[in-house]
């Protein structure tokens, strides 16, 4: 718990203490992954509806006073937002923020890695689903693999405290990428996480049988790369189940929201780029922090809005329920 907390901590009806906030800084992106956005005619929020850096900083300062100490910047693609390192510097300077991280597709990282590091960014997750140009293109529907690889190299050069690769796994498409990705990460001492495909694609085309499960991937890696053994779980609220190579060559994690939901330990809140607070990726309801801030609400009002949002959090995402309803927003409009 943060040392600056002077509002009550954020605890939901199920006793889950919320200390982790994902902040989407934009809904725009420079590629078009099929599991997230549509390929063409994507509608973005007008700039006036997107929170300013000052508004984001204010929101984060308030939740930091409620005990939130971990922030991850995401999007859309966060590096397409102009001057992101200015926001990083402002958030890094806030009392109570112990951990400031970024999730990026890596395309603009080579240009920005050094200034982000200098601004106070500690950890970077870089999305890399495929090492083959053809598969990258089938997923992203744009070129850019060489830029992502250059971004990874730049991140390593500037020595962030931690760099992790995130790969969404899709049955019928990325099986052949698993072993090359595992070797790539192992050779560079990078942590790798595989993420199951969730029903958050803008096209609404997700189907259960496209989910390549973490368990299947683990078997593939064990058979072709090296034996994996369960690793320690330092933070019970982390979404990934980590494994270590038995010979000591690094970590591979599995985020299995579909086959093994981890909602019982969820400690995450989300702020969308247009200023809505969400208690779950799959929430059907959101709380309007932008309207409150622009309407002259106080910090205490903002804290109460966050508390109301978390009070309404459900025990789980319910993807498997018969009455499951997808949220109106796709992943790029929420912030993964
Ligand atoms: N643009 C950045 C990126 O791609 O890393 C940050 C935003 S993106 C929405 C955050 C993460 O969500 C990425 O690792 C992406 O692969 C993942 N993601 C997007 N859509 C997903 C889906 N339908 N299921 C699972 N993961 C998804
Ligand atoms: Fe862009 Fe990230 Fe969505 Fe891919 S997953 S379209 S990179 S926001």
């Amino acid at each position: 718990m943060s040392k600056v907390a002077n509002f009550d901590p954020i605890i939901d009806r199920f006793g889950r203490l919320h200390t982790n906030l994902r902040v989407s800084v934009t809904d725009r992106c420079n590629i078009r992954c099929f599991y997230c956005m549509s390929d063409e005619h994507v509608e973005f929020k007008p700039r006036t509806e997107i929170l300013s850096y000052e508004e984001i900083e204010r929101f984060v300062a308030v939740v930091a006073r409620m005990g939130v100490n971990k922030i991850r910047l995401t999007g859309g693609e966060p590096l397409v937002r102009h001057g992101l390192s200015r926001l990083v510097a402002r958030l890094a300077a806030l009392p109570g923020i112990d951990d400031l991280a970024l999730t990026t597709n890596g395309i603009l990282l080579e240009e920005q890695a050094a200034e982000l590091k200098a601004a106070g960014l500690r950890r970077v997750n870089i999305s890399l689903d495929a090492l083959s140009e053809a598969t990258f293109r089938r997923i992203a529907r744009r070129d850019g693999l060489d830029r992502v690889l250059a971004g990874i190299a730049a991140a390593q050069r500037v020595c962030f405290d931690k760099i992790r690769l995130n790969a969404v796994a899709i049955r019928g498409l990325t099986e052949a990428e698993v072993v090359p990705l595992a070797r790539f990460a192992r050779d560079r001492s990078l942590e790798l996480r595989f993420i199951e495909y969730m029903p958050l694609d803008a096209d609404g085309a997700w189907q259960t049988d496209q989910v390549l499960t973490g368990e299947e991937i683990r078997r593939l890696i064990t058979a072709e790369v090296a034996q994996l053994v369960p690793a320690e779980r330092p933070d019970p609220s982390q979404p990934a189940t980590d494994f270590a190579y038995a010979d000591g060559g690094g970590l591979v994690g599995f985020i299995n929201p579909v086959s093994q939901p981890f909602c019982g330990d969820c400690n995450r809140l989300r702020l969308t780029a247009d200023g809505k607070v969400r208690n779950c990726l799959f929430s059907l309801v959101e709380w309007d922090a932008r309207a409150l801030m622009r309407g002259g609400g106080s910090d205490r009002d903002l804290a109460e809005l966050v508390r109301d949002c978390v009070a309404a959090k459900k025990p789980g995402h319910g993807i498997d329920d018969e009455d499951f309803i997808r949220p109106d927003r796709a992943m790029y409009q929420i912030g993964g």
Side-chain angles (χ1 to χ4, degrees):
M1 173 73 52
S2 143
K3 294 170 283 298
V4 297
N6 61 0
F7 288 142
D8 288 341
I10 318 168
I11 304 174
D12 75 1
R13 291 178 292 153
F14 307 96
R16 294 172 295 194
L17 172 67
H18 286 65
T19 55
N20 191 318
L21 172 71
R22 305 213 164 194
V23 177
S24 173
V25 298
T26 181
D27 55 354
R28 287 162 200 262
C29 189
N30 42 9
I31 56 177
R32 293 287 182 272
C33 307
F34 75 84
Y35 48 66
C36 177
M37 289 177 113
S38 296
D39 192 3
E40 286 168 14
H41 312 299
V42 184
E43 280 193 19
F44 297 111
K45 295 280 177 195
R47 299 214 183 253
T48 50
E49 292 185 19
I50 300 295
L51 292 188
S52 67
Y53 286 162
E54 289 73 16
E55 289 167 327
I56 293 175
E57 182 187 10
R58 177 177 174 201
F59 184 89
V60 173
V62 168
V63 295
R65 290 168 63 193
M66 304 172 85
V68 168
N69 57 8
K70 278 181 110 170
I71 306 289
R72 176 170 294 280
L73 301 177
T74 181
E77 172 47 38
L79 299 190
V80 304
R81 178 134 180 204
H82 187 65
L84 187 72
S85 57
R86 276 194 287 124
L87 177 67
V88 167
R90 296 170 85 131
L91 300 185
L94 285 177
I97 301 305
D98 306 328
D99 184 18
L100 184 56
L102 169 81
T103 299
T104 172
N105 64 26
I107 289 181
L108 296 173
L109 192 55
E110 186 180 28
E111 291 89 318
Q112 297 186 33
E115 65 177 275
L116 288 166
K117 174 84 195 316
L121 188 70
R122 296 277 154 264
R123 301 196 294 121
V124 185
N125 285 2
I126 305 168
S127 301
L128 177 67
D129 306 328
L131 282 166
S132 96
E133 189 77 53
T135 308
F136 181 95
R137 214 172 190 290
R138 278 182 72 187
I139 294 171
R141 292 158 328 172
R142 301 289 183 274
D143 292 327
L145 178 60
D146 54 336
R147 303 302 311 141
V148 180
L149 298 179
I152 294 169
Q156 291 203 283
R157 272 198 307 280
V158 305
C159 298
F160 286 107
D161 294 356
K162 191 157 188 179
I163 305 167
R164 189 187 285 137
L165 304 181
N166 280 345
V168 177
I170 315 278
R171 188 183 304 286
L173 183 58
T174 65
E175 287 91 338
E177 301 295 332
V178 168
V179 169
L181 278 172
R183 293 202 172 113
F184 177 90
R186 195 164 133 95
D187 289 349
R188 288 162 183 75
S189 303
L190 295 168
E191 211 177 300
L192 173 63
R193 275 186 177 172
F194 289 95
I195 307 172
E196 288 178 353
Y197 177 21
M198 292 179 276
L200 289 168
D201 55 315
D203 293 337
W206 179 91
Q207 291 189 354
T208 317
D209 60 11
Q210 291 176 294
V211 179
L212 179 60
T213 66
E215 189 50 36
E216 293 169 85
I217 296 171
R218 187 163 66 87
R219 282 200 297 268
L220 269 174
I221 295 177
T222 297
E224 301 215 21
V225 183
Q227 179 75 26
L228 286 171
V229 292
E232 267 183 46
R233 199 180 175 84
D235 173 4
S237 66
Q238 71 173 46
T241 307
D242 288 333
F243 287 80
Y245 287 109
D247 62 10
L251 279 184
V252 184
F254 299 93
I255 300 185
N256 302 338
V258 183
S259 68
Q260 296 175 317
F262 39 80
C263 306
D265 291 317
C266 179
N267 67 351
R268 281 174 293 282
L269 268 175
R270 292 187 151 79
L271 178 65
T272 66
D274 59 332
K276 306 295 187 309
V277 190
R278 297 175 63 89
N279 56 31
C280 177
L281 274 174
F282 293 95
S283 173
L284 301 176
V285 192
E286 38 193 37
W287 281 256
D288 195 344
R290 186 188 73 210
L292 191 148
M293 288 192 276
R294 294 187 184 173
S298 68
D299 286 356
R300 189 160 291 279
D301 295 335
L302 205 48
E304 284 314 310
L305 177 137
V306 170
R307 209 174 296 290
D308 288 349
C309 168
V310 172
K313 185 157 171 157
K314 294 188 172 164
H317 57 47
I319 293 176
D320 276 341
D321 299 352
E322 262 181 29
D323 56 354
F324 171 70
I325 302 171
R326 291 176 50 129
D328 288 342
R329 289 181 185 254
M331 189 63 119
Y332 73 100
Q333 298 163 315
I334 301 173

